Amino acid sequence: MKWIDSHAHLDDRAFEADRATVIARCSEAEMGVLAIGSSLRSSREAVRLASRYRNIWATVGIHPHHAKFVDEAALIELKELAQDDLVVGIGEIGLDYYRDLSPRDRQRSALRQQLNLAIELNLPVCLHNRESTDDLLAILKETGKRHCGVVHSFLGDGTLADEFLDMGFHLGIGGPLTFPGNEVLRVAVKRTPLDRILLETDCPYLTPVPYRGRRNEPVYVKYVAEEIAKLKGLALQDVAKQTTKNAIRLFGLSD
Ligand code: NI
């Protein structure tokens, strides 16, 4: 494997017509992909894709948008799914106070329950955070347990980057790094050690320049890597190599 897209919503409707072709392009590029669950349905689908394709692994979890559907039965099914050998993490979980599609108290309890599941099963987490940093940090710190995983689509400044890095997290960096308005993020990424960065697309969303505005897909992760290489004065292949190594190590992937 030369590349890993650590965050792809391959189950998304946007891939309905040509999912197999999109995945074939990943294989051609020697790219591994983490298919990310965001609901029970999409978690089941991520596991199904992982069982079908050699270069795909799955994470299972319930996104904060769907937190109001997290109940005991959902947690039982999630735990069952998470024990599949092809499941390498719990996510996407977290908080989203920007869209507030689930009540905030339900978001917080769903996050706590899924963080506990990750600890119980010894799996890394994939965190979503939008305008909810204070509560997210407080919840991560409250158990005193050490979580591991990735802050997906990190968009903060250097101070926040340091805070997550000090807690042991990796930063998931995607298309927004290539957007003209994101100078603060570029400064933060420039000073983040490369061995703590994961490449991601969050496809079909957050398409990097030069395809911004169109549907995103895993192979476009190269444009993110190009931007990181430019910022750090490195060769593109060194960025690919190290970030692939990081994802293999964090999620325990076997090639
Ligand atoms: Ni996502």
Side-chain angles (χ1 to χ4, degrees):
M1 262 184 312
K2 288 190 176 155
W3 300 89
I4 290 179
D5 177 1
S6 66
H7 196 108
H9 295 282
L10 288 178
D11 65 290
D12 195 279
R13 217 170 286 196
F15 297 114
E16 215 164 76
D18 62 347
R19 187 171 289 109
T21 313
V22 168
I23 294 170
R25 280 197 280 273
C26 300
S27 311
E28 263 164 53
E30 296 181 63
M31 178 173 290
V33 182
L34 265 61
I36 304 293
S38 51
S39 63
L40 274 182
R41 188 200 58 75
S42 96
S43 296
R44 285 184 213 117
E45 191 56 21
V47 175
R48 199 188 66 79
L49 287 167
S51 64
R52 189 151 169 207
Y53 297 97
R54 259 199 77 230
N55 56 330
I56 297 181
W57 291 266
T59 71
V60 298
I62 298 172
H63 192 284
H65 291 345
H66 308 299
K68 58 185 171 214
F69 302 115
V70 175
D71 56 16
E72 206 165 327
L75 288 165
I76 289 170
E77 184 175 352
L78 207 57
K79 185 172 172 179
E80 271 171 23
L81 283 169
Q83 292 178 70
D84 191 297
D85 286 343
L86 294 162
V87 172
V88 297
I90 299 294
E92 154 171 15
I93 62 175
L95 302 173
D96 193 313
Y97 292 176
Y98 176 73
R99 293 188 66 194
D100 275 328
L101 295 185
S102 279
R104 292 183 180 182
D105 60 326
R106 296 295 299 271
Q107 293 190 40
R108 290 187 289 265
S109 64
L111 172 60
R112 287 187 177 99
Q113 287 166 316
Q114 294 180 93
L115 282 171
N116 287 336
L117 179 63
I119 285 176
E120 187 186 336
L121 300 177
N122 198 22
L123 287 170
V125 294
C126 171
L127 295 176
H128 174 103
N129 173 35
R130 198 156 180 209
E131 299 194 3
S132 47
T133 301
D134 290 348
D135 279 7
L136 178 66
L137 287 171
I139 289 173
L140 290 172
K141 285 170 184 168
E142 72 191 359
T143 59
K145 286 179 186 142
R146 196 159 170 85
H147 301 285
C148 83
V150 56
V151 182
H152 136 69
S153 195
F154 177 79
L155 290 172
D157 61 10
T159 310
L160 185 59
D162 285 346
E163 182 129 29
F164 283 121
L165 293 170
D166 288 347
M167 293 173 80
F169 284 98
H170 290 64
L171 304 183
I173 303 297
L177 187 71
T178 67
F179 299 172
N182 279 343
E183 199 47 39
V184 169
L185 177 62
R186 280 189 284 276
V187 171
V189 167
K190 190 172 175 178
R191 38 171 285 203
T192 297
L194 188 60
D195 65 356
R196 303 293 291 282
I197 290 176
L198 301 187
L199 298 179
E200 65 165 63
T201 56
D202 202 22
C203 64
Y205 314 106
L206 300 180
T207 313
V209 175
Y211 292 112
R212 193 177 183 185
R214 296 208 240 160
R215 182 189 72 176
N216 201 0
E217 63 173 79
V219 293
Y220 293 168
V221 89
K222 290 180 184 181
Y223 299 102
V224 179
E226 268 173 16
E227 187 67 32
I228 294 174
K230 205 167 78 188
L231 285 169
K232 290 184 172 293
L234 296 168
L236 180 63
Q237 60 183 30
D238 292 335
V239 173
K241 207 180 209 173
Q242 182 63 51
T243 53
T244 298
K245 211 167 144 184
N246 300 342
I248 288 174
R249 186 189 55 215
L250 178 62
F251 293 103
L253 310 180
S254 50
D255 203 342

